[in-house]
């Protein structure tokens, strides 16, 4: 199990190890075009599989700016 | 871990519409090549151009400032940044801090305008007094001030941070509402009108919103990740953004295709016919005898503020240019 934080919404999710970033985004209700996933501070492609103890941040890409 | 399709290092992203993985370095190069190609394809800039970059403090303007700064040697650009403090509480304070830090990091002179100092009210206060939506007042004030600074600066172009997602959404909205004349304004650039309006360019025309975020993030340029408190999540734009991304996921590259085709067809699109003239009070671009900014400020203050605002903008631009000269001499 790993934990994922969603910013800027400040939500926290529990994530099963082994699922892909794409599956994680779908489960969290995001389109792959609308969010970036950082694992241990670095962006990863959508087929990256979550490992135990990964520090995951889902960044909802905001409009504007 | 997936590897970069070019060099084999760890990938940071997969580009669906190109079916390839990219590492940090090649991702940065990929976004900059897009900007470079747009500059060439749409003839956005010529060598030696003086460009005013509008910076809000968000990811897109951070990406824009960074990309133009990194391309400035190649194009011999003279860059200036402009930040407008809208007076939207903590959001505006954070935006100002991020814009200042980004300009400082990239050594680009920054001109700061404060709406409250210039007009006497913040954007939300103005909207309340005028009984108009905040976003509509904000857009009007920003467009006027950006153009006023660009004219005083003698800029060749104003660079805006609109990304491909923004422009695809605005285009869809224009089609749905059948405001087809507006489509003409959504291309990669608008033209200069000597002395009264500086043309706007959109170097991120083909850069997706997610790409703009990742580019700014990977290069460490400061930006805020806060949403304007006045964003309406139920607006047609927000709904269309979600829908277009659903289509993009199933048909990768759709947004780029749409925008490239639109840029080709832009001359064929219907245009709103109006006589281009200069406002009788402030002298800047207007479609009627008095520009919208002078009309709006006259409603509040009893007199149009365009001339006073222009004179204050002139002073700020001069101060910024003399600071530039003294730092170049020192």
């Amino acid at each position: 199990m790993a934990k994922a934080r969603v910013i800027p919404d400040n939500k926290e999710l529990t994530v099963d190890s082994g699922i892909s970033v794409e599956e994680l985004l779908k489960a969290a209700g995001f389109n792959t075009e609308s969010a970036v996933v950082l694992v241990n501070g670095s962006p990863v492609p959508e087929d990256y599989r979550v490992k135990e103890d990964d520090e995951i941040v889902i960044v909802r890409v905001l409009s504007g700016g | 871990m997936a590897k970069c399709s070019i060099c084999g290092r760890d990938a940071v992203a997969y580009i669906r519409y190109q079916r390839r993985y990219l590492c940090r370095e090649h991702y940065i190069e990929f976004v900059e090549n897009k900007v470079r190609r747009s500059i060439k394809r749409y003839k956005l800039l010529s060598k030696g151009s003086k460009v005013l970059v509008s910076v809000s403090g968000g990811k897109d303007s951070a990406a824009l400032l960074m990309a133009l700064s990194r391309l400035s040697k190649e194009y011999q650009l003279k860059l200036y940044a402009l930040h407008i403090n809208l007076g939207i509480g903590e959001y505006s304070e954070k935006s100002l801090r991020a814009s200042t830090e980004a300009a400082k990091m990239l050594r680009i002179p920054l001109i700061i305008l404060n709406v409250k100092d210039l007009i006497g009210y913040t954007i939300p206060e103005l909207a309340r007094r005028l009984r108009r939506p905040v976003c509509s007042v904000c857009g009007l004030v920003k467009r006027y001030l950006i153009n006023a600074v660009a004219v005083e600066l003698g800029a060749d172009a104003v660079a805006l941070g609109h990304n491909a997602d923004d422009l695809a959404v605005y285009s869809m909205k224009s089609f749905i509402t059948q405001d087809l004349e507006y489509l003409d304004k959504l291309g990669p650039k608008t033209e200069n009108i000597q002395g009264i309006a500086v043309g706007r360019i959109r170097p991120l025309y083909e850069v997706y919103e997610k790409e703009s975020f990742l580019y700014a993030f990977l290069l460490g340029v400061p930006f805020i990740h806060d949403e304007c408190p006045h964003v309406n999540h139920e607006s047609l734009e927000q709904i269309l953004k979600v829908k277009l991304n659903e289509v993009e996921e199933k048909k990768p590259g759709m947004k780029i295709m749409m925008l490239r085709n639109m840029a080709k067809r832009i001359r064929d699109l219907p245009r709103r016919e109006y006589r281009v003239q200069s406002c009788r009070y402030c002298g800047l671009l207007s479609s009627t005898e008095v520009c919208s900014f002078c009309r709006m400020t006259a409603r509040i203050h009893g007199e149009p503020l365009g001339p006073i605002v222009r004179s204050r903008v002139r002073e700020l631009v001069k101060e910024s240019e003399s600071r530039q000269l003294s730092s170049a001499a020192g």
Side-chain angles (χ1 to χ4, degrees):
Chain A
M1 297 285 255
K3 286 242 187 294
R5 193 157 52 89
V6 183
I7 58 168
D9 313 81
N10 270 331
K11 282 185 211 156
E12 209 166 86
L13 310 166
T14 306
V15 180
D16 291 331
S17 307
I19 73 162
S20 71
V21 159
E22 185 171 359
E23 288 161 345
L24 166 64
L25 286 174
K26 294 284 170 219
F30 289 104
N31 180 292
T32 50
E33 285 293 308
S34 64
V36 169
V37 173
L38 308 176
V39 174
N40 305 322
S42 298
V44 291
E46 291 141 27
D47 57 0
Y48 175 88
R49 293 205 170 267
V50 171
K51 294 188 193 78
E52 192 83 33
D53 299 328
D54 269 349
E55 195 183 301
I56 304 162
V57 179
I58 302 174
V59 186
R60 181 164 65 87
V61 179
L62 300 172
S63 307
Chain B
M1 177 70 115
K3 301 293 177 192
C4 175
S5 309
I6 301 171
C7 69
R9 277 180 286 196
D10 283 353
V12 294
Y14 178 66
I15 314 297
R16 276 175 186 249
Y17 53 89
Q18 293 190 347
R19 295 182 189 173
R20 58 176 183 160
Y21 290 94
L22 294 176
C23 65
R24 178 186 179 275
E25 282 67 29
H26 284 111
Y27 193 88
I28 291 166
E29 188 181 275
F30 156 74
V31 173
E32 286 171 1
N33 279 341
K34 274 191 169 198
V35 173
R36 196 180 274 116
R37 253 198 327 269
S38 288
I39 291 174
K40 199 172 166 193
R41 177 177 284 146
Y42 306 120
K43 300 183 176 61
L44 302 184
L45 292 169
S46 45
K47 284 205 169 163
S49 293
K50 191 181 209 181
V51 184
L52 178 67
V53 187
S54 174
V55 292
S56 65
K59 66 177 192 317
D60 296 316
S61 51
L64 175 67
L65 199 63
M66 178 57 103
L68 289 181
S69 159
R70 285 167 63 97
L71 295 176
S72 66
K73 206 168 177 187
E74 189 178 329
Y75 287 93
Q76 296 151 26
L77 302 177
K78 288 189 277 290
L79 297 176
Y80 284 80
L82 167 67
H83 176 77
I84 301 174
N85 185 338
L86 306 166
I88 306 178
E90 196 191 351
Y91 172 75
S92 286
E93 286 164 26
K94 283 182 169 179
S95 303
L96 172 63
R97 265 201 304 278
S99 303
T100 309
E101 282 170 18
K104 195 174 166 193
M105 173 182 170
L106 301 172
R107 297 183 179 182
I108 294 170
L110 174 69
I111 299 166
I112 299 168
L113 297 185
N114 188 315
V115 172
K116 177 128 186 164
D117 292 346
L118 292 171
I119 311 180
Y121 298 102
T122 64
I123 291 291
E125 287 166 354
L126 265 178
R128 267 196 301 277
R129 289 187 74 90
L130 292 161
R131 295 183 184 184
R132 281 178 58 174
V134 174
C135 299
S136 129
V137 174
C138 186
L140 189 159
V141 171
K142 279 197 292 195
R143 276 193 300 276
Y144 182 83
L145 294 178
I146 292 170
N147 187 47
V149 173
V151 168
E152 295 306 336
L153 196 61
D156 298 298
V158 170
L160 302 175
H162 293 142
N163 60 51
D165 295 48
D166 296 331
L167 295 160
V169 165
Y170 299 151
S171 311
M172 284 299 293
K173 185 186 170 191
S174 299
F175 182 75
I176 287 171
T177 57
Q178 282 297 291
D179 183 8
L180 299 180
E181 289 85 358
Y182 187 64
L183 283 168
D184 166 51
K185 293 189 167 65
L186 298 176
K189 67 172 179 179
T190 63
E191 299 299 333
N192 276 315
I193 305 172
Q194 185 61 40
I196 60 172
V198 174
R200 288 166 293 166
I201 58 168
R202 296 183 168 117
L204 305 183
Y205 190 74
E206 295 189 7
V207 177
Y208 283 9
E209 184 150 65
K210 187 174 162 177
E211 294 168 352
S212 163
F213 170 87
L214 208 46
Y215 174 77
F217 176 84
L218 290 172
L219 281 164
V221 55
F223 63 90
I224 61 159
H225 199 64
D226 294 40
E227 212 155 31
C228 173
H230 296 283
V231 165
N232 171 9
H233 288 280
E234 299 304 316
S235 69
L236 182 55
E237 285 96 332
Q238 295 293 324
I239 296 166
L240 287 172
K241 187 158 271 187
V242 173
K243 293 295 163 198
L244 278 174
N245 278 339
E246 284 173 13
V247 180
E248 176 73 29
E249 216 176 33
K250 292 192 174 79
K251 298 280 176 198
M254 180 277 303
K255 287 183 281 198
I256 286 187
M257 181 199 70
M258 176 182 171
L259 292 173
R260 278 193 191 157
N261 288 343
M262 199 175 84
K264 279 185 208 155
R265 298 291 311 270
I266 214 134
R267 285 168 194 275
D268 306 330
L269 295 170
R271 281 160 197 252
R272 189 164 284 133
E273 292 302 330
Y274 64 87
R275 196 160 64 91
V276 169
Q277 50 191 313
S278 58
C279 170
R280 64 182 277 209
Y281 293 111
C282 70
L284 291 178
L285 179 68
S286 182
S287 56
T288 53
E289 200 188 343
V290 180
C291 74
S292 333
F293 182 83
C294 283
R295 268 205 315 273
M296 179 193 79
T297 47
R299 260 185 71 191
I300 291 179
H301 290 283
E303 60 167 338
L305 289 193
I308 300 167
V309 166
R310 279 200 75 185
S311 134
R312 181 65 190 131
V313 162
R314 198 168 297 136
E315 286 167 17
L316 287 168
V317 167
K318 270 191 191 152
E319 280 169 25
S320 171
E321 286 191 313
S322 58
R323 266 202 307 275
Q324 272 300 99
L325 283 175
S326 55
S327 73

